[in-house]
Structure formats: structure tokens, C-alpha cells
Amino acid sequence: MDCLYRISFLTLFLAGCLQGNPISILQVEIDYLEESITCPDSVFYTPTDVEDSCIVAALACSIKELDTVKVECLDNAINMQHHISMTATALQKTIDKENSTTDTTECICEDKRLEKSFKDFIQNIRHLTQAHAAKRR
């Protein structure tokens, strides 16, 4: 009987804990890129303070800029190129879940005012993914 109570308690405890907000693979990849890549001499275009209608287009711009990160920051480090590709794929899947266009004329992708350091670029990707997730809810 004591064993039955333990199993019941453990089942309820686990059921309660597992309902929390899971960490997405995308957030883990973004965190890993932020910790692992330093790119002090390069700048990246990243739209900031975007309207809700431009979040998907801004994420599409960020995916394109991740290819620039591969070229300018990695010096053919295959492992990191793989992580960048995984991040880009996860971002693309996030966009593809929503049937909205990524070609919005009022959303500027490349402009001198949008140039940011690598750390700011990654922070902005994190912010855009969180804004996109909040918009979808």
C-alpha cells in the first residue's frame, strides 16, 4: 500500500512538473551561438523595433544574415557551421508554421541604421523569436 502512495505521488508530481514551458531547440541553439562565436570586426543587418506585421520578414532577414555569419566569422569551422545551419532551419520552421509572407515591402532588411555587432544581432534574433511566439498565441 505504501508503494502505491509513492507511485501515485510521483506520477502527480511529474505530471505537474512536465506541464511547464519547455525550452525550444531554437532558444538552445541561439544561446549556443551567442556563447561560442565571437565576431568583433563584422556587422550584421538586423531589423529592430519592428511592427507585428514585419516580425516574419525580420526573421527571414536574420536567416539570410546567418549565412553571412558563416562566411565572416567561422573560418570553415564545420561544427559551428552545422549549428548555424540548425538555427537557420529552426527559424525557417518557425516562419513556415505561419502562413504569412516574408516579402513585405515596408519591412526594411538592409540599411546602415540596422548594422549591429554579432552579440546584438543574436540578441535581436532572440527578441524576434519571442515576439513571434507571443504573436502566435
Side-chain angles (χ1 to χ4, degrees), residues 49-61:
D49 299 325
V50 297
E51 300 289 327
D52 283 348
S53 60
C54 290
I55 290 175
V56 172
L59 284 170
C61 292

Side-chain angles (χ1 to χ4, degrees), residues 39-48 61 65 68 72 108-122 124:
C39 200
D41 298 332
S42 297
V43 292
F44 303 95
Y45 295 104
T46 178
T48 56
C61 292
E65 282 298 296
T68 306
E72 293 184 9
I108 300 170
C109 218
E110 290 190 16
D111 187 350
K112 275 290 203 200
R113 297 172 292 164
L114 302 177
E115 288 182 349
K116 304 286 182 201
S117 68
F118 179 75
K119 293 291 183 189
D120 291 338
F121 169 69
I122 290 294
N124 193 55

Side-chain angles (χ1 to χ4, degrees), residues 62-81:
S62 298
I63 291 170
K64 291 177 188 173
E65 282 298 296
L66 283 172
D67 287 335
T68 306
V69 172
K70 282 183 188 179
V71 173
E72 293 184 9
C73 302
L74 295 183
D75 299 329
N76 294 323
I78 300 297
N79 187 33
M80 289 310 298
Q81 287 184 0

